[in-house]
Amino acid sequence: MASHSSSNVSINNISISVAFAQTALAKVPISDDEKSNILQQCRIPSQLLMQPSARISLRQYGELITQLMLAGKDELLGHGEQILPIGNFAIMSHFMITAKNLEHVLKRLKQYNQVMDNDLSIEIEIVADECKVSLPKLDLALQSQLFVYEFGLFFIHRMLSWYSQSIIPITAIELPFAAPVHARDYALVFYGAPIKFNAPRAKLNFDKRLLVKENKRGLAALEQLLTNPIANLLMLQFHSQSYSARVGEILQSTLQARIPEIPELPSLDKVAAKLNLAPYTLQRRLSDEGNSFIALKNQLKRDKAIELLAHSELSIEQISHYLGFAETSPFTRTFKQWTGVPPSAYRKR
């Protein structure tokens, strides 16, 4: 499979809990040696799996899922009640590609999965102003429920967004299990959507008016998507209007523009001015989204550090200077606070 190409900034560089990788690996019917080789290919040191606070980049997670699917010959990585053979996604996507709008896309998705009788069959209901897309209740162990439900809802949302060439705003993601330790990271994967745990069913909810959005994709675009579907969907990025995303884009573009110099990330006042807002107004709007300027800055530095440690040949000293640390030792201490392990742990193969 060819590597994906990133198209924007904020989601492409985020990191997520290593627990997502642990769940993915748990049931794949391959040997421990094969798992170790795949982790090495994805530049995920195996000792990170033992560290509860450790994180991996979204790109690493996408690569891991792809490699595990191919190795285990199962698109559900052994977590389903039955094997989902490699190629299922491609056939389903070709069936959906001529849909006229998102409502038609969902109806075709439902029809396909009914015929195939697999774990990703869906129900579609309109309740008041919302469209609710739900997955079936499955008699699976908790770890498999985690993967099937999160992967199923991720797939539905990313495909709707891909067909419409816009990130579909989610009013709520509902998950039928208790909130895990890494619960906050679900919002990262679902573009900041509200997440509800202990729900009766796994559901993706959005404004019903979006069902009429046109399918803007054709066969050529689908063939490009299918060169590496998981990575391309996971890294899918269009402009977001949330203030958290807009602040993140400003901070990240500043960071990228200063390579290889030591960057000076802009202050709250400067970012607020770029958005034509008073600083206190920007702080309030970030707070309304459950965020803060300092938290966004720290998240950017943490996730950029993880990306560079995993995907670049820069030394730890160079990375610490790049992120604005005067010396390596404070960077090492801060990074360990962020992830539970020192930067060197991300460099061991």
Side-chain angles (χ1 to χ4, degrees), residues 250 267-280 282 293:
I250 291 171
S267 65
L268 172 66
D269 290 354
K270 289 182 179 179
V271 173
K274 282 181 176 286
L275 296 173
N276 296 315
L277 294 172
Y280 68 87
L282 178 57
F293 186 73

Side-chain angles (χ1 to χ4, degrees), residues 42-43 57 59-60 63 306-313:
C42 298
R43 308 191 115 192
S57 70
R59 175 160 41 142
Q60 288 173 298
E63 290 171 354
I306 290 172
E307 179 194 359
L308 292 173
L309 287 166
H311 299 292
S312 82
E313 299 304 320

Side-chain angles (χ1 to χ4, degrees), residues 108-143:
R108 287 201 171 186
L109 178 60
K110 178 179 179 178
Q111 182 182 0
Y112 177 85
N113 286 319
Q114 281 178 331
V115 171
M116 299 303 294
D117 189 27
N118 62 39
D119 295 326
L120 297 181
S121 62
I122 65 169
E123 293 296 329
I124 307 163
E125 59 179 333
I126 305 298
V127 179
D129 295 329
E130 282 189 315
C131 175
K132 296 175 176 282
V133 184
S134 60
L135 293 171
K137 291 183 178 180
L138 299 171
D139 185 20
L140 299 173
L142 175 59
Q143 204 159 34

Side-chain angles (χ1 to χ4, degrees), residues 40-269:
Q40 189 171 14
Q41 290 172 29
C42 298
R43 308 191 115 192
I44 302 174
S46 57
Q47 66 267 28
L48 289 187
L49 300 178
M50 302 298 107
Q51 298 291 335
S53 300
R55 305 180 71 80
I56 58 174
S57 70
L58 204 60
R59 175 160 41 142
Q60 288 173 298
Y61 180 66
E63 290 171 354
L64 177 65
I65 295 296
T66 297
Q67 293 302 319
L68 291 176
M69 284 181 175
L70 294 174
K73 298 181 174 58
D74 181 1
E75 293 186 356
L76 284 180
L77 306 186
H79 287 283
E81 293 180 326
Q82 56 189 338
I83 290 175
L84 201 64
I86 299 297
N88 177 80
F89 175 82
I91 295 170
M92 177 171 53
S93 300
H94 279 93
F95 180 63
M96 294 159 61
I97 193 62
T98 56
K100 292 179 284 189
N101 55 34
L102 296 190
E103 181 177 17
H104 198 193
V105 167
L106 284 175
K107 286 180 176 178
R108 287 201 171 186
L109 178 60
K110 178 179 179 178
Q111 182 182 0
Y112 177 85
N113 286 319
Q114 281 178 331
V115 171
M116 299 303 294
D117 189 27
N118 62 39
D119 295 326
L120 297 181
S121 62
I122 65 169
E123 293 296 329
I124 307 163
E125 59 179 333
I126 305 298
V127 179
D129 295 329
E130 282 189 315
C131 175
K132 296 175 176 282
V133 184
S134 60
L135 293 171
K137 291 183 178 180
L138 299 171
D139 185 20
L140 299 173
L142 175 59
Q143 204 159 34
S144 288
Q145 286 184 28
L146 284 168
F147 183 80
V148 173
Y149 289 137
E150 71 192 22
F151 181 77
L153 296 182
F154 151 75
F155 164 74
I156 294 167
H157 179 247
R158 290 298 206 275
M159 288 303 295
L160 291 174
S161 298
W162 183 81
Y163 279 112
S164 63
Q165 291 188 344
S166 61
I167 298 302
I168 297 299
I170 300 170
T171 54
I173 291 287
E174 301 181 34
L175 294 167
F177 46 79
V181 175
H182 59 289
R184 293 187 63 176
D185 283 8
Y186 282 87
L188 291 176
V189 177
F190 288 104
Y191 297 89
I195 310 294
K196 298 178 181 179
F197 293 95
N198 289 316
R201 297 280 294 272
K203 288 185 181 181
L204 165 71
N205 306 332
F206 60 92
D207 191 321
K208 70 177 183 181
R209 291 173 295 183
L210 298 175
L211 289 171
V212 300
K213 286 182 75 76
E214 178 188 0
N215 172 18
K216 298 182 178 181
R217 300 293 191 172
L219 193 57
L222 177 60
E223 295 302 327
Q224 176 61 34
L225 173 71
L226 293 177
T227 58
N228 195 346
I230 301 304
N232 284 328
L233 288 175
L234 194 63
M235 307 293 280
L236 193 64
Q237 177 68 30
F238 302 104
H239 285 292
S240 170
Q241 293 305 307
S242 76
Y243 283 96
S244 296
R246 292 163 72 182
V247 168
E249 288 180 2
I250 291 171
L251 293 175
Q252 182 125 283
S253 62
T254 303
L255 193 62
Q256 289 176 326
R258 295 299 295 257
I259 293 175
E261 301 171 30
I262 299 175
E264 284 186 28
L265 291 179
S267 65
L268 172 66
D269 290 354

Side-chain angles (χ1 to χ4, degrees), residues 25-39 67-68 71-73:
L25 284 158
K27 295 291 186 70
V28 184
I30 58 177
S31 69
D32 289 343
D33 285 344
E34 288 176 288
K35 290 179 183 179
S36 296
N37 288 336
I38 289 173
L39 285 168
Q67 293 302 319
L68 291 176
K73 298 181 174 58

